[in-house]
Amino acid sequence: DHNLCISNAQRRRLVCKVNKRYRNVDGAVFCPKSTDEQSTDLWLAPGVQLVRCHTGLGLFNNAFYTVLAIAEGAVRLRDDDVGGEIEIPLGSIKKNCSGRGALTYDGAQGRTLPGRVVCFGLKSKRLTRGHLIVGISRATALEFFACAP
């Protein structure tokens, strides 16, 4: 599932909720949040999906990555947007990447999201028609679109 929401606070809560399922995976590594207020605690294990929050380290802003392996202080990632692999220091993950369990509507703009797209914040005063259009149009088919309660 791809969860879309309006606020970064709700995005962080959803990322933590989705990411907790990796804490019991063999070899999972815990990366506590950094001092950046946008940061979240993150469990890393093969299969964890990430989104890049900053540029640098050979990663691209708002690009999608999947953890392939963790070894000796480094994380090997697959670039889910263009293919290829890159290895970055484990310590740089928490300040440069976020879990892909949720995106803001703005962060999802311009992307096609495979699988189910769930839109949150439909009762928010800040939700605009543009947010709703972005949310609906991210899904590849209407049967993959859902609204959160």
Side-chain angles (χ1 to χ4, degrees):
D1 285 359
H2 296 279
N3 299 308
L4 302 182
C5 52
I6 294 174
S7 75
N8 275 306
Q10 185 175 29
R11 179 194 56 78
R12 287 190 303 275
R13 285 191 303 272
L14 287 166
V15 164
C16 287
K17 181 179 177 183
V18 169
N19 183 256
K20 281 182 182 176
R21 70 178 177 226
Y22 290 100
R23 68 179 166 202
N24 296 322
V25 172
D26 285 338
V29 175
F30 181 67
C31 294
K33 64 183 176 180
S34 70
T35 55
D36 179 356
E37 66 182 36
Q38 298 300 320
S39 178
T40 60
D41 290 338
L42 199 59
W43 286 96
L44 291 179
V48 171
Q49 296 177 323
L50 303 171
V51 61
R52 174 75 171 139
C53 302
H54 306 283
T55 55
L57 297 174
L59 302 175
F60 297 96
N61 194 30
N62 211 30
F64 285 1
Y65 297 92
T66 298
V67 174
L68 297 175
I70 304 166
E72 307 209 12
V75 180
R76 191 164 37 103
L77 303 172
R78 178 184 63 235
D79 184 325
D80 294 336
D81 293 328
V82 296
E85 296 180 10
I86 188 166
E87 190 167 286
I88 63 171
L90 178 61
S92 67
I93 287 284
K94 65 184 175 185
K95 100 175 172 185
N96 293 295
C97 294
S98 174
R100 206 162 76 195
L103 301 167
T104 60
Y105 287 97
D106 292 341
Q109 200 161 2
R111 287 197 161 275
T112 298
L113 300 173
R116 197 165 79 123
V117 175
V118 181
C119 290
F120 286 81
L122 300 180
K123 293 182 181 179
S124 171
K125 294 176 193 172
R126 294 184 289 163
L127 182 77
T128 66
R129 192 163 114 196
H131 288 120
L132 196 54
I133 290 168
V134 166
I136 292 170
S137 63
R138 297 312 91 192
T140 57
L142 193 53
E143 60 264 21
F144 296 126
F145 175 76
C147 297

